[in-house]
Every structure is written in C-alpha cells, then in structure tokens.
Amino acid sequence: MNRLLATILSSVCHPLLVPGYLFYVVCYQLPGVVLRPALPDRWLVLGVVLLFTFVLPSLGTALLLWGGYVSSLELRERRQRPLPLLLAVIGFGTATLLMGRYPQAFDMLLVQMMAGMTLAVLLTLLISLRWKISAHGVGMGGAVGLLGLLFLGAEAGSPIIWWLTGSIVLAGAVMSARLALNAHTPEQVWAGFGLGASLVLGFGVGLALS
C-alpha cells in the first residue's frame, strides 16, 4: 500500500471519528435497532457523539501541540499519548453520562455503545503507559465487534450483513495502512484489534447474561 492511500485511510478512519460513523449506522442505516430518539431527532445523538468524542478531544490535542506538550497530531511517540488519550477518556465519559442521565431520550443501546467506547479508550490509555498499542486497531476492532453483535441479533434480510462485511474489509485496510506508515508493528496492530473486538463482545455477553 502506498503512503498516500495509507495516510488517507488513517485520517478518514481516525479513532476519534469511528464512534461518529458507528452511531450514524446504528441510528440511520439499521431500521428498528434503536427506538429513542425518534428518527427526526437523531441528529441530536450524532451532535453529542461528535462534540464529545471528536471535536473537544481534537481541540484539546491541538492545544497540547500549541503548548509544546506533543510534537505532532499523529502522536507517534508513545510517551506523548497519555494526555491526549486522557482528554478522549474525559470526552467519551461525559457523553456516556449525558446519555445515561436522560434514558427517556436516548435508547439504552446508545448508552451501552458509548460506555463500551469509553472503556476501550481508557484501556488504550492504560496500556499506552507501557506499550504503544494501536488505537486505530482498537477502534476498528470495536467496530467489527459491535456490528458482529448486531448481526447475531438481526432479523433475516437486515442490511447489517453488508455493514459487517464492509467493516471487516475496512479494518484490514486500516491495519495495513498503519503498518505501511511504520506507525506500529504487526503485534501492536493486532493487539489493538483484538482488544477492541473482545471488549465489545465481552461487554455484549455480559449484558445478555445480566
């Protein structure tokens, strides 16, 4: 894979953008998966998700760059990752609390998705204190895991199969892109994917048994 394509894939599938994509798919592309809010009001869900999982963490990282705490927005150095990841944990956690506070407005699946994503970012932060696990891998693994869970509970004829297939193909492309850019080793990429996928699947099984 050439570096230009790898860079585009890494940017388009940045870990802070993946939550917005997933919430869009669940809210607008999979009929009947969520009931609240009603379809005309689901822009509010995307607004909350994008604000707290992308806009605010990105602005915070930009301020860290401006202040000299990180040397690049790509965060290639493991030692520079904790602060931006901490900002992401705070943003994701705030979105989870906000959604959970208004159960009459936000379907429980949306709250559970946000909570699982928050835990994934927190674990990525903790692991990154000692080892450079791939955040892109975590995000794509979580996406595949979530769509896999929804596929298992879907009715015949649901379009979820196409979204699941697409997520698997895209995950492979993004992981290849991270390797092509020398951003991670294969072990770091696969560990990230495994963490994201297993966390979502374990979260889903735990909720099903509770």
Side-chain angles (χ1 to χ4, degrees):
M1 181 181 295
N2 64 61
R3 291 188 65 85
L4 176 59
L5 178 57
T7 300
I8 292 173
L9 277 172
S10 293
S11 300
V12 172
C13 295
H14 191 280
L16 295 182
L17 286 172
V18 172
Y21 298 151
L22 288 174
F23 275 88
Y24 169 78
V25 171
V26 169
C27 287
Y28 289 101
Q29 299 301 319
L30 301 177
V33 173
V34 297
L35 301 177
R36 299 183 306 276
L39 188 60
D41 299 322
R42 291 182 186 174
W43 62 269
L44 179 61
V45 176
L46 294 185
V48 169
V49 171
L50 290 174
L51 176 63
F52 288 102
T53 69
F54 176 67
V55 176
L56 294 181
S58 296
L59 288 176
T61 303
L63 288 175
L64 291 175
L65 176 64
W66 179 75
Y69 294 98
V70 298
S71 58
S72 168
L73 291 176
E74 296 180 358
L75 303 177
R76 284 185 169 270
E77 296 295 326
R78 179 188 61 80
R79 294 180 179 179
Q80 296 182 2
R81 300 179 85 194
L83 279 178
L85 283 171
L86 179 59
L87 293 176
V89 170
I90 294 172
F92 280 59
T94 302
T96 301
L97 292 174
L98 181 61
M99 289 184 177
R101 187 175 181 181
Y102 300 100
Q104 72 280 6
F106 296 99
D107 196 281
M108 184 52 63
L109 174 62
L110 302 178
V111 180
Q112 293 167 351
M113 285 173 59
M114 200 69 256
M117 292 174 184
T118 302
L119 181 57
V121 178
L122 176 60
L123 291 176
T124 302
L125 165 61
L126 295 177
I127 294 172
S128 294
L129 295 175
R130 301 297 298 272
W131 192 60
K132 191 185 175 186
I133 191 171
S134 171
H136 280 78
V138 174
M140 297 311 300
V144 172
L146 173 64
L147 293 172
L149 277 180
L150 294 177
F151 170 73
L152 292 177
E155 299 178 354
S158 170
I160 183 62
I161 181 61
W162 303 112
W163 288 102
L164 175 59
T165 302
S167 71
I168 294 172
V169 173
L170 185 59
V174 172
M175 292 164 67
S176 297
R178 301 309 289 162
L179 296 176
L181 293 173
N182 295 317
H184 291 284
T185 65
E187 293 80 9
Q188 292 167 346
V189 168
W190 280 108
F193 182 87
L195 173 63
S198 61
L199 181 61
V200 172
L201 293 175
F203 203 69
V205 171
L207 290 172
L209 295 177
S210 62

